Amino acid sequence: GAGVSQSPRYKVTKRGQDVALRCDPISGHVSLYWYRQALGQGPEFLTYFNYEAQQDKSGLPNDRFSAERPEGSISTLTIQRTEQRDSAMYRCASSLAQTGMGNQPQHFGDGTRLSIL
Amino acid sequence: SQQGEEDPQALSIQEGENATMNCSYKTSINNLQWYRQNSGRGLVHLILIRSNEREKHSGRLRVTLDTSKKSSSLLITASRAADTASYFCATDARGNKLTFGTGTQLKVEL
């Protein structure tokens, strides 16, 4: 596809369950980012990858959150033992250039709306 | 944490008028980007201005950057109802993660 694709669009699950959110970046984009956005706020950084290497995971709230990008393309954000406070919009973005090597815009997907009951 | 703050938080104007939104940030940056978000949907990239640039234009958009004041402004000229959205500035400090502001909600009325 032409843009960043995220699935599912909506996810409702019970507290304590694990969830996996998927991001398919724009073809050829080297860098991939995960953000979380609360209602009425701007997105907050979670983690990012260059190719398959996770470069920065300083924004992950705790060790229940993890992300991978094993082949340098599709990425999965996994939240284990979900809690109600994890409810938010999770957004993925990709950019063409490797981070730190130029000024490149980030292109965002439509996000996954996660609701923990 | 949010680095930037947009001002005003909300803005309501008539179609055809100009809309100006301001963004302040705290640390040195590589570039600053403006995004638009419609009704909780995806973020659309509008414009990127590098730290060594002072002004940039794209269609009806004009962005300025004052690194000495750590501030930027977004001007939308001849606004349209379709411009109704939330606008976010985001700073790129080290060529990787973006730090977003809190956003300005723009409403353009017919």
Side-chain angles (χ1 to χ4, degrees), chain B:
Chain B
S1 63
Q2 314 264 237
Q3 155 156 244
E5 288 189 6
E6 279 94 338
D7 169 53
Q9 288 189 331
L11 179 61
S12 183
I13 59 174
Q14 298 294 312
E15 196 171 49
E17 294 180 337
N18 296 342
T20 300
M21 288 159 267
N22 302 297
C23 168
S24 60
Y25 58 92
K26 298 174 184 173
T27 65
S28 61
I29 60 172
N30 285 336
N31 65 69
L32 184 145
Q33 303 179 34
W34 283 91
Y35 288 82
R36 183 185 72 222
Q37 184 174 32
N38 293 82
S39 302
R41 293 180 60 91
L43 288 141
V44 175
H45 180 265
L46 296 177
I47 199 164
L48 180 153
I49 185 165
R50 295 178 173 82
S51 60
N52 60 354
E53 297 176 312
R54 291 297 167 258
E55 187 170 312
K56 204 162 184 179
H57 297 254
S58 176
R60 292 184 297 113
L61 307 180
R62 173 178 167 254
V63 168
T64 62
L65 178 65
D66 186 336
T67 52
S68 67
K69 295 181 179 178
K70 293 187 169 57
S71 68
S72 174
S73 67
L74 171 67
L75 169 67
I76 304 174
T77 60
S79 63
R80 306 166 182 169
D83 295 329
T84 295
S86 292
Y87 291 81
F88 294 92
C89 69
T91 53
D92 179 345
R94 293 184 297 161
N96 41 60
K97 62 187 180 186
L98 291 176
T99 303
F100 283 82
T102 51
T104 292
Q105 291 188 334
L106 174 65
K107 184 174 182 181
V108 181
E109 301 186 62
L110 295 171

Side-chain angles (χ1 to χ4, degrees), chain A residues 8 10-14 17 19 112-117:
Chain A
Y10 303 93
K11 178 69 177 179
V12 181
T13 193
K14 292 182 179 179
Q17 298 294 307
V19 295
T112 293
R113 172 75 66 187
L114 177 63
S115 297
I116 309 299
L117 303 178

